[in-house]
Amino acid sequence: MKILVIGGGGREHALVWKLGQSPGVSRIFCAPGNAGTLEHGENIPIAANDLPALAHFARENRIELTVVGPDDPLAAGIVDLFEEEGLRVFGPSQSAARLESSKIFAKELMRESKIPTARGAAFSKCEAAFAFVEEARFPLVVKADGLALGKGVIIAHDPAEAKAAIDSMMNERRFGDAGRRLLIEECLTGTECSLHALVDGKSFRLLATARDHKRAHDGDTGPNTGGMGAFSPADNFSAESEAQFERQVMGPLLDALKENQVTFRGLLFPGLMMTAEGPRVLEFNCRFGDPETQVILPRLKSDLLELLQTTIDGKLESTAIEWEKRAAVTVVLASGGYPDKYDVGKRIEGLENLAKAKDVHVFHAGTRKVDGAVVTAGGRVLAVTALGENVAAARARAYEAVAQISFEGCHYRRDIALGAVAAKVVGH
Ligand code: AMP
Ligand code: GLY
């Protein structure tokens, strides 16, 4: 089977790598891909948001399944377009992807179906938002309604901070149209957990749990990033949390979607805050997480292609998914300056030594091959994943591998999974 993976980050390298192991896959293309995806397939120089060019490529090359990595093409309706053209594609339709592309839509749906989440209010006028924060209790969270590369969320500690956030989103349009409307919500406390579920329109199957590290620097300091590292399984999600999550979130969500005549087929990734009162939904993502995918897929024993096909065909109900008992940790190596301005084109050394390292997978994100050398081409450059008997062992192995790689300006967090080293592996 000929497969096309859309995107060019660490998540897509992990998807291409895992799909490449499926006996049913004959050829893999990745658009636009990176120097890592090149090792398993062919890169196609088409941007992930150039929908007509992607559909044209899929048609001309008789692609039998397209897997969409990032959120933008989903929000722009790539799945609807492919389906109209009779092309098979994994991902939710544009209307289902609104769960991620409009935080206000998601909040409304959660409120209607009593899914536990932070209390919030939506605003389309700056003056009303200003008036609200004058009277509000702090801290509170100001969120742009639309997609903002994971940066459209600001925690404000007083009215002045809140107003500055509102002003930058609504008036200065720091995130473009994504900030036309805002959500202002209560600030929850607890630890975060990333859940991934395959959803086939009717049923769902949870994948392994993971935890991300969103802040740029050690000790959860510095600005928010796309994610500086992750580990799986999460140490804060018990069997009881799982039962609660299925009952309080997944069940009501699927019912609400059905009521709204929206069919969700694809990967749903709810970001949770584990509070003293139980799991609360922070957001819904409609695609695999990055860097969560880089720790989830190395633990997946089942055939990924089969799982994606089963999801599209609506047959998840009778499907079992097998997992490695071992844990996985990934450490993201970033360009100097990321998440702000950074340079690209720095030569990366040390990758060859790791190509054969046992239980180590170096997933490429912002990389490019130039004259046979691998150079940096983005903010997040590599996600170095290792497996181990427990989180501590995986962590030690991941950092040993990281120590062998270098490029000018490289920075990474030294405390990925540190808080979880004592965690027991419980299998999910
Ligand atoms: P989101 O894009 O909604 O997941 O927000 C990005 C990050 O902002 C989350 O991963 C949390 O770290 C933080 N966040 C979002 N909403 C809240 C909230 N209501 N309370 C506390 N932190 C939040
Ligand atoms: N790592 C968080 C995300 O993919 O949204």
Side-chain angles (χ1 to χ4, degrees):
M1 193 169 204
K2 286 207 269 182
I3 311 271
L4 169 64
V5 173
I6 295 177
R11 161 184 52 211
E12 286 77 21
H13 184 189
L15 285 166
V16 165
W17 164 79
K18 185 68 189 169
L19 285 166
Q21 295 167 15
S22 298
V25 171
S26 58
R27 235 173 129 180
I28 306 190
F29 300 92
C30 193
N34 57 39
T37 59
L38 261 185
E39 290 165 23
H40 318 277
E42 295 155 64
N43 286 351
I44 308 300
I46 303 177
N49 55 10
D50 190 347
L51 274 44
L54 291 166
H56 179 77
F57 176 84
R59 225 176 21 245
E60 293 294 304
N61 292 278
R62 300 178 191 280
I63 298 295
E64 291 158 278
L65 175 67
T66 297
V67 181
V68 188
D71 47 17
D72 292 336
L74 293 168
I78 192 167
V79 170
D80 310 64
L81 174 70
F82 272 52
E83 284 178 351
E84 274 162 30
E85 302 210 9
L87 295 163
R88 194 167 165 86
V89 56
F90 178 85
S93 64
Q94 186 171 34
S95 61
R98 280 187 79 204
L99 278 177
E100 177 168 6
S101 65
S102 170
K103 290 185 195 292
I104 295 175
F105 170 76
K107 187 64 85 181
E108 276 293 301
L109 204 81
M110 287 192 271
R111 204 166 47 83
E112 279 167 20
S113 40
K114 301 196 168 48
I115 292 173
T117 181
R119 276 189 302 270
F123 296 91
S124 52
K125 293 237 162 32
C126 178
E127 300 71 34
F130 275 8
F132 179 85
V133 300
E134 284 293 353
E135 306 294 325
R137 295 230 320 254
F138 284 84
L140 51 70
V141 186
V142 180
K143 298 183 171 186
D145 178 47
L147 299 178
L149 292 170
K151 292 174 189 159
V153 175
I154 292 173
I155 297 183
H157 296 90
D158 55 47
E161 267 182 31
K163 285 184 176 173
I166 295 165
D167 197 41
S168 77
M169 290 182 192
M170 280 190 144
N171 298 331
E172 289 166 23
R173 290 293 170 94
R174 186 169 153 212
F175 306 112
D177 273 353
R180 214 165 41 82
R181 296 199 297 158
L182 298 183
L183 191 62
I184 301 185
E185 64 180 40
E186 67 176 318
C187 189
L188 300 173
T189 49
T191 55
E192 292 182 44
C193 183
S194 299
L195 269 291
H196 283 62
L198 290 168
V199 181
D200 73 359
K202 316 181 286 285
S203 329
F204 66 92
R205 281 282 174 279
L206 290 188
L207 304 187
T209 56
R211 288 186 65 184
D212 185 11
H213 296 62
K214 288 204 166 76
R215 301 293 204 96
H217 307 304
D218 286 359
D220 287 331
T221 57
N224 260 327
T225 68
M228 292 298 288
F231 62 94
S232 174
D235 57 338
N236 59 351
F237 198 76
S238 61
E240 190 195 337
S241 323
E242 182 170 332
Q244 235 176 349
F245 171 73
E246 296 199 355
R247 194 174 61 244
Q248 298 180 349
V249 179
M250 292 307 292
L253 179 71
L254 292 187
D255 289 345
L257 288 172
K258 197 166 155 196
E259 226 162 83
N260 286 278
Q261 288 164 347
V262 174
T263 304
F264 192 105
R265 226 179 281 117
L267 191 288
L268 182 75
F269 155 17
L272 303 182
M273 184 73 90
M274 306 303 293
T275 71
E277 288 79 41
R280 299 282 179 272
V281 176
L282 289 174
E283 61 169 348
F284 287 116
N285 302 298
C286 295
R287 34 115 196 135
F288 284 92
D290 189 341
E292 285 89 340
T293 306
Q294 294 92 305
V295 286
I296 293 174
L297 293 185
R299 297 188 60 222
L300 176 66
K301 285 210 225 157
S302 305
D303 183 324
L304 180 61
L305 175 65
E306 267 180 32
L307 288 176
L308 302 185
Q309 298 275 46
T310 307
T311 305
I312 298 173
D313 293 336
K315 293 184 179 150
L316 271 179
E317 202 168 23
S318 51
T319 301
I321 306 182
E322 277 193 76
W323 296 100
E324 274 266 5
K325 286 274 184 275
R326 293 185 300 165
V329 172
T330 196
V331 179
V332 169
L333 308 193
S335 292
Y338 173 82
D340 296 323
K341 267 179 58 174
Y342 54 83
D343 288 333
V344 295
K346 310 293 182 196
R347 197 184 163 110
I348 305 172
E349 309 285 353
L351 293 172
E352 319 70 44
N353 301 340
L354 291 170
K356 293 201 180 68
K358 195 166 171 290
D359 294 329
V360 172
H361 307 284
V362 180
F363 294 116
H364 291 224
T367 69
R368 209 152 65 87
K369 210 155 195 178
V370 178
D371 300 331
V374 179
V375 302
T376 65
R380 291 191 291 177
V381 176
L382 300 166
V384 180
T385 300
L387 288 160
E389 285 315 309
N390 50 36
V391 175
R395 179 174 190 276
R397 195 168 282 157
Y399 276 106
E400 267 168 38
V402 165
Q404 299 188 47
I405 302 175
S406 61
F407 57 86
E408 193 189 315
C410 169
H411 76 92
Y412 57 90
R413 279 181 60 164
R414 321 254 157 181
D415 64 348
I416 301 301
L418 187 58
V421 286
K424 285 206 194 78
V425 176
V426 287
H428 206 63

